[in-house]
Amino acid sequence: MRNRVFRQAVKGVLIGLSLWLLVILLSGTNTFLNRGTVIAKIERAHVSLTLNEDGSVDVIERFSYRFVKPYRGVFREIPQDRIASRYSEFYIEAEGLIVQHLVERGTDTYTDVRVWFVPLGSDPVAPESGKDTVTVAFSYTVYGAVESGADVVQLFRKVWGEDTASWVPKLSALIRFPDSFNVSDFYTHPPVEVLRNGNTFTIELRNHPPQTFAEFRAVIDKSAVDFMDSSNIKTSSFTRADIEKAEQIISRNVVMGKWILPIGFGLSVILLPVLIFFFFGRQHRINYSAEYERKAPTDDSPDIINFIVKNVTSKLDNDGIGAVIMNLYRLDYIDFEEGDKKGQASAIIIKDKDPEALSLTEKELFYLLKHHSVDNYFNFEYVKKQVIRDSRKAGTYASAYNLYKLKVKAESSKIRMIENTGTRLSRILSFSLMVASLLLFIVFYSRPEVIHLALHSSIVFGSVWTIAFAIFLQKKDVFGRWTHHGREFYLKWENFRKFITDYSLLNERPPDSISLWEEYLVYATALGVADQVRKNLSRMIPKDMWERREGHHFLYTTTSVSAAASFSSLSAAASSSDSSSSSGGSGGGGGGGGTGGF
């Protein structure tokens, strides 16, 4: 069981991780991939903003680029902000490469500057060692960036825009205010340490992620507007209390996103499943201690054993259906017709034998085969063509097939095998954690004040999602448990499986008849270990000896297996044909934009 739990957990982790990566791609939060898509990596950025007494803002941006792909130059874009600030013409200096041409487009509220290091219109050039770095300084003045509220003035600007695709190992900013201005409060988004020296503020960010802005908000006494040019002021109705309230909300959301939610979800996905297992998943102790079972422990039909033992009362799979077909052949209710290719069955021949001795589920499958045969001849290719071409026939076949599977489930459920309380709780918990992780990542962590935590959140909540998905896929007896009767039933059949797959045990106490070997093959198929048992059989009984003892020769070969596979393929085609025939907070700072290579 431990091996099965581990395999299922690994399967869940791999599938869950793949799905989470797909979520990241579809959501656009692909910071993992941007390292390989940029033309120019930004190794360092320094931004200097100086607020003048007249309300204009002088800006100098120094960006150090390293080209990693063929390039023409670099660009700097600034979109129109929410208060329609105006921009002067750009003054540009470059160190490391010679500027060949400048292209500046846009209006006074939006600008797009392209600095060409190759002749205008020429093809990109590959970066060469010693000629792959350049530092560009963009100098310009911003007008109309100051906002005057009811009782305070604010300067709310981005020092880094969300449209930049490169990571920035070091991003620093220097913000200066006139000595005559009283800067009462200063905030940054994301929150970082601010060094203040009089009216000069310095901030620094390390390993700033792509597509993530950085901004500051300075709150200045109302008297500052007395010195300013009215054309540089945007009048509004906000108050100091409004700013403080907005910043408190931002601060709470950052703490929530960085600490509370990750820790809470991390503990939930670990501790709660442990508690569910402790109270509802520990197996009952029973008075059964046999090392193995030499004969089939019960006389249940192989599809019931497949449903209960192999799939832990969850489903009937192709092995279970194939085992019933093999058993019908073993009991002489059907025979196989071998196709042109040796070892492949082309049809099932229905024999004229009263099925009343069969179990309820075996009888149901026998009637399905008989009803869809022609003159008691069930040809796989013929029936498959019929159900694909005729949706009515496909519906009839699919209904009969589904009815058979429902009867297997109903018969298996007559005796209470599993206590499912723990299973239900674990699946409710894991599903809730997956949904909540997805919603938080897409909705909450896309908010401007916590967008800088995108990488952090994708790792944390991706881990929660993946673990929860692995928990959701576990069989019923991991967080649920077998009843006393069910536990003994399961252990006996597991010990039988161990016996028939262990060559040394078989060789020590070999079956005393061919009919017993045939029973082994049928139940081995139901338990999913037919290949191992058939290998043991071939080592102990050669094919000619099997036939001399008048064994059912199609059980010795893969013919019966191919018949089961053909039947499953046909049933899938019928089901498919049948279904196809039916019908101002954070992020409010002006400026920003992006830069990079082109």
Side-chain angles (χ1 to χ4, degrees), residues 411-448:
E411 288 297 301
S412 301
S413 302
K414 283 184 177 179
I415 302 176
R416 186 166 174 258
M417 290 286 183
I418 293 279
E419 296 174 3
N420 282 319
T421 302
T423 302
R424 285 193 292 268
L425 290 175
S426 68
R427 289 180 177 173
I428 290 171
L429 171 67
S430 56
F431 182 76
S432 300
L433 288 173
M434 285 191 291
V435 171
S437 296
L438 186 62
L439 290 177
L440 283 170
F441 178 70
I442 293 176
V443 179
F444 180 79
Y445 284 94
S446 64
R447 299 178 67 162

Side-chain angles (χ1 to χ4, degrees), residues 536-554:
N536 290 336
L537 168 63
S538 64
R539 293 172 67 184
M540 299 181 70
I541 303 179
K543 184 178 180 182
D544 57 346
M545 183 184 296
W546 177 277
E547 292 177 347
R548 282 200 307 271
R549 294 185 184 182
E550 298 182 349
H552 290 82
H553 63 281
F554 285 135

Side-chain angles (χ1 to χ4, degrees), residues 204-362:
E204 187 174 294
L205 297 95
R206 296 281 184 175
N207 295 316
H208 193 66
Q211 299 175 341
T212 306
F213 65 80
E215 66 184 359
F216 73 90
R217 171 186 261 155
V219 182
I220 309 169
D221 282 358
K222 183 73 172 178
S223 58
V225 298
D226 296 338
F227 302 92
M228 296 182 183
D229 188 321
S230 60
S231 64
N232 287 329
I233 301 172
K234 301 293 182 181
T235 303
S236 185
S237 59
F238 64 86
T239 64
R240 183 186 297 273
D242 293 333
I243 294 176
E244 291 174 351
K245 182 178 179 181
E247 290 296 332
Q248 287 173 1
I249 293 172
I250 293 170
S251 179
R252 283 199 299 268
N253 285 342
V254 170
V255 172
M256 182 75 69
K258 189 173 184 179
W259 300 108
I260 296 176
L261 289 175
I263 292 174
F265 273 72
L267 291 176
S268 296
V269 81
I270 295 172
L271 294 181
L272 292 181
V274 170
L275 290 174
I276 292 172
F277 174 80
F278 183 81
F279 286 107
F280 303 104
R282 291 183 299 170
Q283 298 296 339
H284 294 295
R285 292 184 179 181
I286 60 171
N287 187 25
Y288 174 73
S289 58
E291 293 185 9
Y292 60 86
E293 295 286 340
R294 190 165 176 263
K295 294 184 179 181
T298 68
D299 60 357
D300 294 283
S301 61
D303 46 9
I304 300 295
I305 300 305
N306 175 265
F307 186 92
I308 294 176
V309 181
K310 183 190 174 190
N311 294 301
V312 193
T313 73
S314 296
K315 64 178 181 178
L316 172 70
D317 63 22
N318 291 340
D319 283 341
I321 298 170
V324 173
I325 292 175
M326 291 172 66
N327 204 38
L328 292 175
Y329 169 64
R330 180 178 78 91
L331 299 174
D332 295 320
Y333 285 90
I334 63 173
D335 201 353
F336 300 118
E337 180 179 272
E338 201 166 25
D340 295 335
K341 189 175 180 181
K342 190 172 181 61
Q344 296 289 322
S346 61
I348 293 175
I349 301 169
I350 314 297
K351 293 187 176 182
D352 187 18
K353 186 175 180 180
D354 188 353
E356 286 306 311
L358 295 173
S359 70
L360 182 64
T361 56
E362 289 174 323

Side-chain angles (χ1 to χ4, degrees), residues 3 8 19 101 108-109 119 148 174 186 189 217 259-260 303 315 351 402 413 430 437 540 560 593:
N3 290 337
Q8 199 72 4
L19 291 173
H101 199 82
D108 62 343
T109 60
S148 178
L174 186 70
F186 193 90
H189 313 133
R217 171 186 261 155
W259 300 108
I260 296 176
D303 46 9
K315 64 178 181 178
K351 293 187 176 182
N402 291 330
S413 302
S430 56
S437 296
M540 299 181 70
S560 60

Side-chain angles (χ1 to χ4, degrees), residues 42 44-47 62-63 76 157-164 166-168 171 208-215 591-593 595:
I42 300 173
R44 183 182 177 123
H46 178 75
V47 180
R62 292 182 64 84
F63 303 145
R76 176 71 175 102
R157 303 295 295 175
K158 290 176 181 172
V159 297
W160 195 252
E162 61 270 36
D163 297 326
T164 300
S166 172
W167 288 78
V168 187
L171 169 62
H208 193 66
Q211 299 175 341
T212 306
F213 65 80
E215 66 184 359
T595 185

Side-chain angles (χ1 to χ4, degrees), residues 284-576:
H284 294 295
R285 292 184 179 181
I286 60 171
N287 187 25
Y288 174 73
S289 58
E291 293 185 9
Y292 60 86
E293 295 286 340
R294 190 165 176 263
K295 294 184 179 181
T298 68
D299 60 357
D300 294 283
S301 61
D303 46 9
I304 300 295
I305 300 305
N306 175 265
F307 186 92
I308 294 176
V309 181
K310 183 190 174 190
N311 294 301
V312 193
T313 73
S314 296
K315 64 178 181 178
L316 172 70
D317 63 22
N318 291 340
D319 283 341
I321 298 170
V324 173
I325 292 175
M326 291 172 66
N327 204 38
L328 292 175
Y329 169 64
R330 180 178 78 91
L331 299 174
D332 295 320
Y333 285 90
I334 63 173
D335 201 353
F336 300 118
E337 180 179 272
E338 201 166 25
D340 295 335
K341 189 175 180 181
K342 190 172 181 61
Q344 296 289 322
S346 61
I348 293 175
I349 301 169
I350 314 297
K351 293 187 176 182
D352 187 18
K353 186 175 180 180
D354 188 353
E356 286 306 311
L358 295 173
S359 70
L360 182 64
T361 56
E362 289 174 323
K363 194 185 304 180
E364 190 70 30
L365 186 61
F366 177 79
Y367 282 134
L368 185 154
L369 293 170
K370 187 175 180 65
H371 180 75
H372 290 88
S373 64
V374 178
D375 295 328
N376 289 331
Y377 189 79
F378 188 93
N379 183 282
F380 294 116
E381 284 302 316
Y382 175 78
V383 178
K384 190 172 184 177
K385 288 178 182 179
Q386 291 292 309
V387 298
I388 290 175
R389 293 173 180 173
D390 191 331
S391 61
R392 184 181 58 81
K393 290 182 179 179
T396 302
Y397 185 95
S399 296
Y401 179 66
N402 291 330
L403 179 62
Y404 160 67
K405 292 197 293 185
L406 286 173
K407 285 197 174 181
V408 173
K409 182 178 181 180
E411 288 297 301
S412 301
S413 302
K414 283 184 177 179
I415 302 176
R416 186 166 174 258
M417 290 286 183
I418 293 279
E419 296 174 3
N420 282 319
T421 302
T423 302
R424 285 193 292 268
L425 290 175
S426 68
R427 289 180 177 173
I428 290 171
L429 171 67
S430 56
F431 182 76
S432 300
L433 288 173
M434 285 191 291
V435 171
S437 296
L438 186 62
L439 290 177
L440 283 170
F441 178 70
I442 293 176
V443 179
F444 180 79
Y445 284 94
S446 64
R447 299 178 67 162
E449 62 267 31
V450 291
I451 190 68
H452 65 284
L453 298 174
L455 178 59
H456 169 79
S457 65
S458 65
I459 295 173
V460 171
F461 289 96
S463 300
V464 171
W465 163 282
T466 301
I467 294 172
F469 191 86
I471 291 171
F472 189 84
L473 289 188
Q474 287 298 329
K475 299 289 188 180
K476 292 181 180 180
D477 61 341
V478 176
F479 292 98
R481 60 187 170 194
W482 296 95
T483 61
H484 288 84
H485 168 75
R487 179 70 173 160
E488 183 174 345
F489 185 97
Y490 177 79
L491 289 177
K492 285 183 175 180
W493 276 101
E494 276 293 289
N495 284 340
F496 175 70
R497 180 189 61 79
K498 292 177 186 176
F499 176 76
I500 62 178
T501 55
D502 191 324
Y503 177 75
S504 60
L505 287 175
L506 282 170
N507 195 40
E508 181 183 328
R509 301 189 65 182
D512 52 15
S513 68
I514 291 294
S515 62
L516 195 55
W517 267 113
E518 292 181 345
E519 184 179 54
Y520 284 4
L521 287 169
V522 167
Y523 284 109
T525 302
L527 294 169
V529 292
D531 289 343
Q532 294 169 261
V533 175
R534 190 170 279 107
K535 182 179 179 181
N536 290 336
L537 168 63
S538 64
R539 293 172 67 184
M540 299 181 70
I541 303 179
K543 184 178 180 182
D544 57 346
M545 183 184 296
W546 177 277
E547 292 177 347
R548 282 200 307 271
R549 294 185 184 182
E550 298 182 349
H552 290 82
H553 63 281
F554 285 135
L555 288 179
Y556 194 94
T557 66
T558 59
T559 304
S560 60
V561 177
S562 76
S566 297
F567 179 80
S568 298
S569 173
L570 164 61
S571 300
S575 298
S576 175

